[in-house]
Amino acid sequence: MTTLSLKLPEPMADRLAAEARARRKPKSALVREFIERGLTGPSMKGRASFHALAKDKAARFRGPRDLATNPKHMEDFGR
């Protein structure tokens, strides 16, 4: 088994220690469990995109997709 050293913020270390006591497991076993769960958990594949989740809240605009297609919209551009 490979040894890994890491630094944790105090609140996280305290929560890890409390969880280890509650489960009566070593902290290292819990960390391995959490890492395994994170590595084998759901990936981005098959998850809804931000657009899919928020499309009903997005504003809808009418008009040309690109204002540069109409020379009238480009008048005084860059002045």
Side-chain angles (χ1 to χ4, degrees), residues 55-67:
K55 68 182 176 184
D56 61 326
K57 311 228 182 328
R60 296 180 186 199
F61 297 98
R62 294 179 189 233
R65 289 189 175 273
D66 183 1
L67 294 178

Side-chain angles (χ1 to χ4, degrees), residues 38-50:
L39 292 175
T40 60
S43 65
M44 287 303 291
K45 189 176 184 179
R47 293 173 89 184
S49 67
F50 176 78

Side-chain angles (χ1 to χ4, degrees), residues 2-52:
T2 302
T3 301
L4 174 68
S5 176
L6 65 119
K7 294 180 182 183
L8 298 175
E10 282 299 320
M12 186 182 295
D14 294 342
R15 289 183 6 225
L16 178 62
E19 187 68 21
R21 279 191 304 275
R23 293 189 190 192
R24 294 184 176 162
K25 284 186 170 183
K27 291 185 277 187
S28 58
L30 283 181
V31 171
R32 283 193 298 273
E33 181 183 321
F34 297 149
I35 291 172
E36 184 64 32
R37 195 178 316 155
L39 292 175
T40 60
S43 65
M44 287 303 291
K45 189 176 184 179
R47 293 173 89 184
S49 67
F50 176 78
H51 177 264

Side-chain angles (χ1 to χ4, degrees), residues 71-79:
K72 176 183 163 194
H73 296 292
M74 296 302 292
E75 290 175 7
D76 297 327
F77 180 75
R79 291 187 188 175

